[in-house]
């Protein structure tokens, strides 16, 4: 098959999946979309809004673990696409199982969110709660999926076999600003397992990542290791981060936030880097 033929075949597959998604959403009747403002939930929320109108609502769980830049991005999407949207306060910090930060911490966070969304769905008459899980998420360690199953949450993107790359392409076509946004996760994912999650720690991480974005870094994480901040930036951005001038600027910015030591991870950004210690432990 020629490269042109392969491209045409891929385009046809993508259009088929998109049509399947639209039909699936319509078949659900009315939906609440758990909306973080990330690539996947943004595309799902916009698609649901277009094809279901007032029978779709995007709900964002707001707490200290929600990054400031993500909240701002979600607000932009809601405004641009006229999505019916609400914020609800989640109370995962009232749960000792969450703040003790076990390896399945995400389960307790999602349980809190889905419990509130389930109550809202019953009160407002929405039939289904949906999340933005996609086909690439299946092989990853995601304890929040257990909570989704327990609350009967549907994953339309996954059910239609849409991958992250395909969702990015469909988002690009639809004009979503999220189409090329780096992957995101809640701020609690920056705290090593077993170390207590506190609002103070998350505030430090949030401010640190905002400071690094102001310095021009696009894909960045700040892992909180007590008085040490471990910075991860994308491989493409590492050369810029490793200059003498930039390391000094990063160090000043993060020490002003309260960290005593600032380090740069030479392996760069990667998702789930705090899971690496678990994998090494399991292999012994």
């Amino acid at each position: 098959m020629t490269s042109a033929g392969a491209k045409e075949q891929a385009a046809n597959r993508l259009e088929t999946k998109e049509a399947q998604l639209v039909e699936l959403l319509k078949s659900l009747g009315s939906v609440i979309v758990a909306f973080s403002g990330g690539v996947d939930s943004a595309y799902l929320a916009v698609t649901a809004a277009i094809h279901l109108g007032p029978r779709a609502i995007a709900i964002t769980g707001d707490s200290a673990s929600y990054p400031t830049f993500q909240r701002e991005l979600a607000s932009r999407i809601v405004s641009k696409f006229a999505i019916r949207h609400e914020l609800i306060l989640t109370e995962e910090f009232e749960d000792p199982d969450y703040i003790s930060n076990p390896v399945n911490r995400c389960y307790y966070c999602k349980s809190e969110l889905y419990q509130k969304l389930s109550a809202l769905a019953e009160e407002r008459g929405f039939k289904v709660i949906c999340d933005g899980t996609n086909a690439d998420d299946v092989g990853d360690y995601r304890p929040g999926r257990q909570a989704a199953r327990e609350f009967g949450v549907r994953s339309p993107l996954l059910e239609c076999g849409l991958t992250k790359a395909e969702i990015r392409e469909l988002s690009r076509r639809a004009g979503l600003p999220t189409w090329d946004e780096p992957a995101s996760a809640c701020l609690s994912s920056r705290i090593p397992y077993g170390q207590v999650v506190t609002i103070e720690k998350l505030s430090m991480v949030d401010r640190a990542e905002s400071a690094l974005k102001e310095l021009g870094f696009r894909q960045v994480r700040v892992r909180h290791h007590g008085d040490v901040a471990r910075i991860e930036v994308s491989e493409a951005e590492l050369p810029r981060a490793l200059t003498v001038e930039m390391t000094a600027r990063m160090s000043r910015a993060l020490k002003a936030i309260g960290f005593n030591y600032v380090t740069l991870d030479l392996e760069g950004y990667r998702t789930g880097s705090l899971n690496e210690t678990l994998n090494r432990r399991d292999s012994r």
Side-chain angles (χ1 to χ4, degrees), residues 69 181-182 208-221:
F69 83 92
E181 278 291 314
E209 292 187 356
S210 294
L212 294 175
K213 287 178 182 291
E214 288 176 7
L215 290 176
F217 291 100
R218 191 163 183 272
Q219 189 163 50
V220 63
R221 293 284 189 274

Side-chain angles (χ1 to χ4, degrees), residues 67-74 181 184 190 206 209-210 213:
T68 297
F69 83 92
Q70 197 75 35
R71 185 182 291 106
E72 293 170 351
L73 182 57
E181 278 291 314
S184 184
R190 305 342 183 231
D206 195 25
E209 292 187 356
S210 294
K213 287 178 182 291

Side-chain angles (χ1 to χ4, degrees), residues 24 43 79 124 169-171:
L24 174 57
Y43 173 68
S79 177
R124 306 271 191 92
E169 173 58 18
L170 290 171
S171 298

Side-chain angles (χ1 to χ4, degrees), residues 211-274:
L212 294 175
K213 287 178 182 291
E214 288 176 7
L215 290 176
F217 291 100
R218 191 163 183 272
Q219 189 163 50
V220 63
R221 293 284 189 274
V222 175
R223 310 293 184 181
H224 191 295
H225 298 271
D227 58 358
V228 177
R230 176 167 60 89
I231 299 171
E232 297 176 9
V233 298
S234 67
E235 185 177 341
E237 295 176 294
L238 265 176
R240 179 168 174 265
L242 286 167
T243 65
V244 173
E245 178 188 359
M246 185 54 70
T247 56
R249 293 177 69 184
M250 291 191 295
S251 181
R252 283 197 301 270
L254 270 61
K255 284 183 176 180
I257 289 167
F259 290 104
N260 291 330
Y261 306 96
V262 179
T263 67
L264 180 64
D265 192 317
L266 298 182
E267 292 186 56
Y269 165 79
R270 62 269 189 210
T271 58
S273 73
L274 292 176

Side-chain angles (χ1 to χ4, degrees), residues 48-234:
I50 290 171
H51 295 282
L52 295 179
R55 292 179 293 125
I57 185 170
I59 303 290
T60 302
D62 196 12
S63 76
S65 67
Y66 192 41
T68 297
F69 83 92
Q70 197 75 35
R71 185 182 291 106
E72 293 170 351
L73 182 57
S75 179
R76 283 171 52 202
I77 295 165
V78 166
S79 177
K80 180 176 180 179
F81 292 90
I83 298 172
R84 185 181 177 192
H85 175 250
E86 292 180 19
L87 283 169
I88 59 170
L89 294 177
T90 55
E91 299 171 297
E92 60 267 30
F93 284 88
E94 301 298 318
D95 184 354
D97 287 324
Y98 176 84
I99 62 174
S100 64
N101 202 14
V103 295
N104 65 337
R105 176 200 64 246
C106 190
Y107 167 79
Y108 299 104
C109 177
K110 293 298 187 183
S111 293
E112 163 66 11
L113 173 63
Y114 295 144
Q115 183 175 10
K116 281 188 161 48
L117 293 185
S118 294
L120 188 64
E122 184 174 355
E123 176 187 334
R124 306 271 191 92
F126 286 93
K127 294 181 179 179
V128 180
I129 299 167
C130 298
D131 72 5
T133 301
N134 67 62
D136 290 331
D137 294 331
V138 176
D140 198 6
Y141 175 63
R142 293 177 179 266
R145 292 291 298 152
Q146 179 185 345
R149 288 190 294 271
E150 291 175 359
F151 282 90
V153 174
R154 298 285 294 270
S155 302
L157 303 176
L158 171 60
E159 292 177 37
C160 294
L162 282 160
T163 65
K164 176 72 81 173
E166 290 172 330
I167 294 163
R168 288 189 184 279
E169 173 58 18
L170 290 171
S171 298
R172 185 190 66 79
R173 295 180 186 182
L176 272 73
T178 49
W179 78 269
D180 65 342
E181 278 291 314
S184 184
C186 81
L187 293 172
S188 296
S189 67
R190 305 342 183 231
I191 313 297
Y193 296 124
Q195 295 186 18
V196 174
V197 177
T198 67
I199 292 175
E200 180 185 9
K201 289 179 182 178
L202 300 190
S203 176
M204 289 177 68
V205 169
D206 195 25
R207 286 181 288 148
E209 292 187 356
S210 294
L212 294 175
K213 287 178 182 291
E214 288 176 7
L215 290 176
F217 291 100
R218 191 163 183 272
Q219 189 163 50
V220 63
R221 293 284 189 274
V222 175
R223 310 293 184 181
H224 191 295
H225 298 271
D227 58 358
V228 177
R230 176 167 60 89
I231 299 171
E232 297 176 9
V233 298
S234 67

